[in-house]
Amino acid sequence: MSPRAAWRLESLGFTQVYDYVAGEADWFASGLPREGRDAAIPRAGDAARHDVPTCRPTDDVGAAWERVREAGWDTCVVVNHEGVVLGRLRGKVFEADPARAVEQVMETGPTTIRPDERLEGIVGRMHDQHVESIVVTTPDGRLVGVLKRADAEQHLAHG
């Protein structure tokens, strides 16, 4: 909203008014609440799983694998101290020397999507490209979660 509109709302007694300078597109891409005519359209952030295990680049592979097993996942998203996605561990990487640092074996720069991506479109692309899951991040790279294709398909089927 414009600064003028924010000041007007404050003058009307609203106490939590913010001038979100980045704009509406950034708001939606950050996975923040939506309203209006398109709010009901299912988006990636609606079906993304937020319980994905995470690890730091300096963690060892053994500790990351333990976290993954305990959580019932097959992947670990590598994040820094701000929650920015740096990489991903999955597959045979977990067979590496358990004492090795995650940063030595991680898949760097995994493909990501934004929370406002329409589910129908992303599910089609995931199917066509035989992708089972994709990392969901905000525009500044912070982890939102992981979208599993099966979860997305179920979300679309049951609304």
Side-chain angles (χ1 to χ4, degrees):
M1 97 175 30
S2 74
R4 183 175 46 212
W7 281 111
R8 178 67 179 133
L9 287 172
E10 281 189 4
S11 74
L12 293 172
F14 291 90
T15 58
Q16 294 185 349
V17 178
Y18 303 95
D19 180 17
Y20 192 80
V21 178
E24 181 181 55
D26 182 74
W27 181 273
F28 295 140
S30 295
L32 296 169
R34 308 178 306 270
E35 58 182 47
R37 70 176 193 276
D38 290 343
I41 296 171
R43 310 286 177 154
D46 300 334
R49 303 256 319 259
H50 306 285
D51 61 339
V52 61
T54 61
C55 56
R56 300 282 175 90
T58 55
D59 290 349
D60 62 55
V61 172
W65 172 238
E66 188 65 29
R67 237 175 272 139
V68 166
R69 272 188 330 107
E70 287 176 2
W73 280 76
D74 61 359
T75 191
C76 187
V77 179
V78 184
V79 297
N80 69 8
H81 67 282
E82 294 287 327
V84 174
V85 174
L86 304 174
R88 176 173 48 189
L89 299 178
R90 61 182 175 167
K92 294 193 182 278
V93 151
F94 290 114
E95 296 172 12
D97 177 0
R100 286 187 77 181
V102 163
E103 64 190 343
Q104 294 176 333
V105 298
M106 72 181 185
E107 170 189 331
T108 58
T111 300
T112 63
I113 60 171
R114 301 292 169 260
D116 66 328
E117 181 106 21
R118 290 178 181 228
L119 257 187
E120 190 171 4
I122 193 62
V123 166
R125 289 197 319 267
M126 291 173 81
H127 185 268
D128 292 347
Q129 297 173 9
H130 308 287
V131 172
E132 295 300 319
S133 66
I134 191 164
V135 178
V136 182
T137 64
T138 62
D140 58 356
R142 285 182 169 76
L143 179 65
V144 170
V146 169
L147 178 65
K148 291 188 172 191
R149 188 172 80 200
D151 292 343
E153 290 170 339
Q154 183 177 7
H155 190 86
L156 285 172
H158 296 105

